[in-house]
C-alpha cells in the first residue's frame, strides 16, 4: 500500500520534511538566544537608569571609551555651560519622529576639563537649515547637573554618515575626540544626556528614557518555530494517509468494474 513512498515525488517531499525539522528547531533556539540577549540587555539598561548619580570622572576621562556596561549610568558634574561654543547635531528626531537638532553644549568642569552635554531636542523650524537655530540659554554661572552617560557616536555603530562641509556650528555625530580637536581642550570621553536641571520653558526638549527592546517577540518566535517543527511530521503523515486512502479507493473501484464486465461477458446458462 505504501510503495508510492519510493516514487521520486514522495522521496523529494520526505527529504524536504526531514531537512525542515532540524532547521526549524535550530531557528527556535536562535530566537531563544536572542530573547536571552535582549532580556539581559534590558536588565542592564534598567539597572543603569535607576543607578544613583556618581561623579562623572569616576566613569570617564579624556580619551576614555564608555563601555556597554557603563552606558546609561547616571552621573553628576559641577561647572558652567559654555554656550559660545555649543553646536547642534543635525537630523535628530523627537518621540514623534519629528526631525530637528540635538543641542550639544560644552560644560566646563571646575578642573578645566570639558564634558559634552546633550541638552535635548530642538525642532528644525527656522527659515533655513543652514542657519544656526535660536536656542534658549541654559542656567548661567556654576551649575550642578545630572545625566546619563553615553559612548561616543560613530558611523559604524549608528549608521549616520559623518558629512563634511556642513554649515557653521553644525555636526552629524557626537564624538568627544572630534570635539576635543575643535575646542582645543581636554574633553572627557563620551557625552552626557541631560536630565537635570530641566529647561525653564521645556526647550530644548529633554531626551526621554530609552525603551526596552521587545524581547518577548523573540520568545514568541522561538515557540512558533518549534510548533512548526512539530507540525511537519504530522502534516507529512496526514498527506501519506490521504494518498494511501485515495490509491486504495481507486484500486477498489477498478476491481468492482472488472467483475461487472466479466459477468456481462459470460454466456447465459440454459
Amino acid at each position: 500500500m505504501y510503495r508510492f513512498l519510493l516514487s521520486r515525488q514522495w522521496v523529494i517531499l520526505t527529504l524536504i520534511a526531514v531537512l525542515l525539522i532540524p532547521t526549524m528547531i535550530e531557528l527556535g533556539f536562535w530566537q531563544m538566544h536572542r530573547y536571552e540577549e535582549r532580556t539581559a540587555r534590558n536588565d542592564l539598561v534598567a539597572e543603569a537608569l535607576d543607578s544613583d548619580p556618581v561623579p562623572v570622572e569616576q566613569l570617564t576621562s579624556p580619551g576614555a571609551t564608555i563601555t556597554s556596561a557603563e552606558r546609561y549610568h547616571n552621573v553628576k558634574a559641577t561647572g558652567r555651560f559654555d554656550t559660545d561654543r555649543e553646536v547642534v547635531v543635525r537630523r535628530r528626531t523627537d518621540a514623534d519622529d519629528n526631525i530637528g537638532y540635538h543641542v550639544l553644549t560644552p560644560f566646563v568642569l571646575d578642573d578645566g576639563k570639558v564634558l559634552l552635554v546633550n541638552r535635548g531636542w530642538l525642532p528644525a523650524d527656522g527659515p533655513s537649515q543652514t542657519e544656526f537655530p535660536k536656542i534658549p540659554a541654559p542656567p548661567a554661572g556654576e551649575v550642578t547637573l545630572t545625566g546619563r552617560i553615553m559612548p561616543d557616536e560613530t558611523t559604524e555603530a549608528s549608521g549616520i554618515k559623518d558629512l563634511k562641509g556642513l554649515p557653521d556650528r553644525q555636526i552629524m555625530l557626537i564624538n568627544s575626540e572630534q570635539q576635543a580637536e575643535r575646542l582645543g581642550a581636554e574633553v572627557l570621553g563620551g557625552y552626557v544626556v541631560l536630565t537635570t536641571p530641566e529647561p525653564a520653558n521645556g526647550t530644548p526638549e529633554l531626551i526621554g528614557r530609552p525603551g526596552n527592546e521587545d524581547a518577548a517577540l523573540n520568545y514568541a518566535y522561538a515557540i512558533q518555530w518549534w510548533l512548526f517543527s512539530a507540525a511537519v511530521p504530522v502534516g507529512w503523515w496526514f498527506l501519506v494517509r490521504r494518498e494511501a486512502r485515495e490509491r486504495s479507493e481507486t484500486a477498489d473501484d477498478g476491481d468492482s468494474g472488472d467483475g461487472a464486465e466479466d459477468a456481462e461477458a459470460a454466456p447465459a446458462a440454459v
Side-chain angles (χ1 to χ4, degrees), residues 57-71:
E57 290 186 274
Q58 284 190 16
L59 295 182
T60 185
S61 59
T65 299
I66 305 302
T67 67
S68 58
E70 295 167 338
R71 185 179 61 168

Side-chain angles (χ1 to χ4, degrees), residues 185-207:
E186 287 189 290
V187 177
L188 303 184
Y191 67 99
V192 165
V193 174
L194 184 69
T195 54
T196 63
E198 297 184 8
N201 298 315
T203 304
E205 179 184 325
L206 293 181
I207 299 171

Side-chain angles (χ1 to χ4, degrees), residues 129-141:
Q129 292 193 10
T130 62
E131 294 181 9
F132 192 74
K134 293 181 179 179
I135 305 172

Side-chain angles (χ1 to χ4, degrees), residues 112-263:
K113 296 185 180 70
V114 174
L115 171 66
L116 299 177
V117 177
N118 185 339
R119 292 206 287 130
W121 181 84
L122 194 72
D125 55 3
S128 171
Q129 292 193 10
T130 62
E131 294 181 9
F132 192 74
K134 293 181 179 179
I135 305 172
E142 187 171 85
V143 178
T144 297
L145 63 77
T146 62
R148 301 186 295 270
I149 196 162
M150 299 292 292
D152 286 327
E153 295 179 344
T154 63
T155 297
E156 293 74 22
S158 66
I160 301 172
K161 292 183 179 180
D162 191 13
L163 302 177
K164 306 301 181 184
L166 296 175
D168 187 38
R169 299 175 67 185
Q170 296 190 24
I171 61 175
M172 295 299 299
L173 296 169
I174 304 176
N175 185 282
S176 61
E177 184 177 347
Q178 293 178 357
Q179 292 304 305
E181 184 177 348
R182 180 181 73 89
L183 297 170
E186 287 189 290
V187 177
L188 303 184
Y191 67 99
V192 165
V193 174
L194 184 69
T195 54
T196 63
E198 297 184 8
N201 298 315
T203 304
E205 179 184 325
L206 293 181
I207 299 171
R209 287 166 60 104
N212 287 337
E213 296 185 37
D214 194 357
L217 192 61
N218 294 102
Y219 186 88
Y221 284 154
I223 300 300
Q224 186 180 59
W225 281 118
W226 290 335
L227 289 175
F228 285 162
S229 69
V232 169
V234 174
W236 178 86
W237 179 241
F238 173 80
L239 293 175
V240 169
R241 291 293 297 165
R242 188 179 68 177
E243 181 77 9
R245 183 171 61 252
E246 291 176 353
R247 287 175 178 268
S248 177
E249 290 173 355
T250 301
D252 290 343
D253 291 343
D255 290 344
S256 299
D258 290 345
E261 291 174 1
D262 291 342

